[in-house]
Amino acid sequence: MGDWTTIDWDALDRLRNTFIHRKSPSATPYWTSESDLASYDMTFAERIGWKWDAVLSHLKTLGWEPSTKYVLDWGCGTAIASRRVLSTFPHHAWTSLTLWDHSTLAIQYAQRVLRSDFPNLNIEISSSSIPQNWQNQQGLLLVSHVLNELTPSSRSELIQLARQAQTILWIEPGTYNDSRSLISLREELSEDFTILAPCTHNATCGLLTEGNERHWCHHFAKPPTEAFTESYWAKFGKRMDIDLRHLPYSFLVLERKNDSPSPLTNFSRIIGAPRQYKGFAKILSCQESGVREIELQKRDNPKLWKELRKGRAGTLHEWEISNARIIGSTSPPPR
Ligand SMILES: C[S@@+](CC[C@H](N)C(=O)[O-])C[C@H]1O[C@@H](n2cnc3c(N)ncnc32)[C@H](O)[C@@H]1O
């Protein structure tokens, strides 16, 4: 945890402006100083870290573990993605972590923080967008909140790199545009990879079918208690005009294709949050057969209705359906 008294609020205003109002991708880095990065790291990056916590915790409940020792954090910024992954799997025998960002300032900052947090880790700095040591490594590629900053040629490079990964963990903001960009990417990579999450299947994304144009694939992370109890977070939320309770994200977890079928094919994934009405809820449900809205009447299953309303039911369900309505659900057993 950094020191909030040193936060450069003007830098955060400028960064927020850049993130929100950027009209087109820029090939020029926007980090101007160490203070930009330190202030970002304590605030925006920490919120991104909460999204990583949500995804990694979900993967753990599915029994997922890293299957490679080599990690690449691409567009690393302050390396929040790799720090979260390494600390979630501290006993994994990581061999090395490579950092790439088109900002040298960012790479230097990331390297310093990682050295302090993981003194025994071998950290390598890539001198180009396609690290020399990446090919044949079959490594774990981490990408976080980068896609909407890429020019078409950088995006192509990143996809070329992604095709050589063993595993890809990719998190983006939960906006319509970011989710739709991630869906395009999913379709480009699905021939070579098994999709472990959020999809429960490898069929074409159901949001691409006619009638689903208005939807996007997003989920909600739970901020930690400190986000609501610490005055510095309140100040951050107010000044940046961010509702801290609301933490939407889009994500993809891909594993190089093997012969085993997706372990979740019988399950559906809830997209977004169920929409609650008086006495019933509408749930946007994604499964191999497509994405469709299904209704749950409170009277059909008051317990499930309540769990969903309180956000305690999880997002994976094997629905029990009667008369086109949900009447029950089974969740996958924790592994
Ligand atoms: C919003 S920040 C996210 C940083 C970090 N991944 C995180 O989740 O906090 C986007 C990062 O992508 C980097 N970036 C943008 N375009 C890039 C490119 N073409 N090649 C490498 N890095 C790029 C920026 O310098 C910045 O550090």
Side-chain angles (χ1 to χ4, degrees), residues 48-216:
I48 291 173
W50 300 338
K51 303 180 192 179
W52 278 93
D53 292 342
V55 169
L56 292 167
S57 149
H58 178 59
L59 288 178
K60 277 183 114 176
T61 65
L62 297 178
W64 183 88
E65 284 186 10
S67 57
T68 161
K69 298 172 175 177
Y70 176 78
V71 194
L72 168 61
D73 190 342
W74 201 99
C76 62
T78 61
I80 194 69
S82 37
R83 279 146 63 196
R84 286 313 220 251
V85 169
L86 294 171
S87 47
T88 303
F89 298 98
H91 304 301
H92 186 73
W94 303 107
T95 307
S96 70
L97 164 66
T98 300
L99 298 172
W100 164 249
D101 197 292
H102 69 171
S103 157
T104 313
L105 269 178
I107 293 189
Q108 285 167 349
Y109 184 95
Q111 186 183 26
R112 210 176 43 258
V113 186
L114 280 157
R115 279 223 173 104
S116 147
D117 288 1
F118 307 95
N120 298 323
L121 183 71
N122 174 27
I123 302 167
E124 297 185 10
I125 305 303
S126 178
S127 54
S128 76
S129 55
I130 304 199
Q132 271 183 346
N133 57 0
W134 178 246
Q135 222 164 1
N136 307 322
Q137 289 282 4
Q138 300 189 325
L140 167 61
L141 172 65
L142 307 178
V143 188
S144 174
H145 294 68
V146 174
L147 204 44
N148 68 10
E149 298 190 12
L150 301 182
T151 58
S153 71
S154 316
R155 184 186 183 278
S156 306
E157 278 177 344
L158 181 51
I159 292 199
Q160 188 189 331
L161 191 96
R163 288 192 199 287
Q164 294 160 19
Q166 168 64 29
T167 311
I168 303 172
L169 302 186
W170 197 317
I171 301 187
E172 292 292 342
T175 65
Y176 182 90
N177 287 342
D178 292 305
S179 156
R180 288 279 162 179
S181 303
L182 211 49
I183 291 172
S184 306
L185 215 122
R186 173 201 189 274
E187 297 307 301
E188 286 175 68
L189 294 172
S190 63
E191 208 168 288
D192 298 324
F193 290 88
T194 298
I195 300 154
L196 296 185
C199 326
T200 57
H201 59 86
N202 252 54
T204 303
C205 174
L207 289 179
L208 296 174
T209 55
E210 217 180 309
N212 279 332
E213 296 83 355
R214 68 181 196 283
H215 297 303
W216 70 103

